[in-house]
Amino acid sequence: MEEIKKKIMLSGIQPSGDLHLGNYLGAVKNWGARAEEFDCYYFMADLHTLTVRQDPKMLRRRSLEQLAQYIACGIDPEKNVLFLQSHVHEHAELGWILNCYTMFGELSRMTQFKDKCAKNADNINGGLFTYPSLMAADILLYQADYVPVGEDQRQHCELTRDIAVRFNNIYGETFKVPEAYVPKAGARVMGLGNPTSKMSKSDPNGCVFLMEKPEDIARKFKRAITDSDTENCVRFDQANKPGVSNLMNIYSAVTGKSFEEIEKEFAGCGYGVFKPAVGDAVIETLRPIREEATRLLNDKAYLCSVYTEGAQKASFIARKTLRKVYKKVGLVEKPF
């Protein structure tokens, strides 16, 4: 019986900061299971980080840390292709070619370009303007069927589709036109210091990082904002009790308990008992991830084997696409 070929899913993640509880519960926790349905390619988008000035040692460290954390979170290198973007030179090569098939007006309309210009007024470089073309190359190289996107990336996915269609219309069928993939919603984790905003590394005091020490996590939960009411009871009410509701959401996500069960468990206990309990549950959830990531970071030979093998697998696919593109646009075929 002929084996049914899986659809291809691709996602690139910039190694620009440590993963936090919101990343994990909101998305990464469920990524490992995708390999059962899709052929998944995950790469550390280190070339994309260069649009902002980086500390070289820090970038190298974060690239490896992020790789280790993803493996520790359940993304199995035996079932997924994990690699560093800069190790597959076809990304940069196709990125340049697609620059020539991306219109200036299209790039000018990218809202993230405008946002990043406002944040990096002293370094508005060409890469900041053209990186959506490199992002299109990242996707089209692998003939991806699906690209997981949040609302902030949907515009880039649409541009990638436009570039693919434009190229195909000129040269014939070359690229698969990808579709945006909206994952099943995970837990929406808000900041411990501001429960009306999503947890973010820009607010380190209200953000819990996967590699954080247990005592630091416990302290953050003890200081977490609850609510200014006099009720002092654990009850889910998003509108009137956003702080407690956020903590209940987190506790539910790490224990699997319903809000009703949580309310019964902490009936009559008050916030002083509930907040440390949530912290303890999070600590125990993150402990195996932190320990496994630490073990992996101490095994540089293994991490090297993962990203080397991943780059080899990725290059094999990318090379086929680039060879086809070179032929279509009229470049002489490479002799090696």
Side-chain angles (χ1 to χ4, degrees), residues 166-229:
R166 179 178 299 134
F167 196 96
N168 289 347
N169 285 341
I170 296 172
Y171 297 108
E173 200 66 28
T174 308
F175 297 121
K176 185 177 290 183
V177 181
E179 296 180 24
Y181 176 85
V182 181
K184 294 178 182 178
R188 183 175 172 81
V189 180
M190 314 305 278
L192 300 184
N194 180 3
T196 62
S197 296
K198 285 180 68 175
M199 184 173 284
S200 169
K201 62 189 176 186
S202 62
D203 177 20
N205 292 323
C207 183
V208 175
F209 297 97
L210 299 195
M211 301 299 287
E212 206 156 5
K213 295 178 181 178
E215 57 268 30
D216 292 333
I217 295 175
R219 184 170 59 253
K220 287 182 178 180
F221 274 98
K222 286 177 182 176
R223 295 177 178 175
I225 296 296
T226 46
D227 302 292
S228 57
D229 57 27

Side-chain angles (χ1 to χ4, degrees), residues 133-149:
S133 297
L134 177 57
M135 188 176 291
D138 298 334
I139 298 166
L140 299 178
L141 267 176
Y142 301 95
Q143 306 293 349
D145 295 281
Y146 297 109
V147 184
V149 294

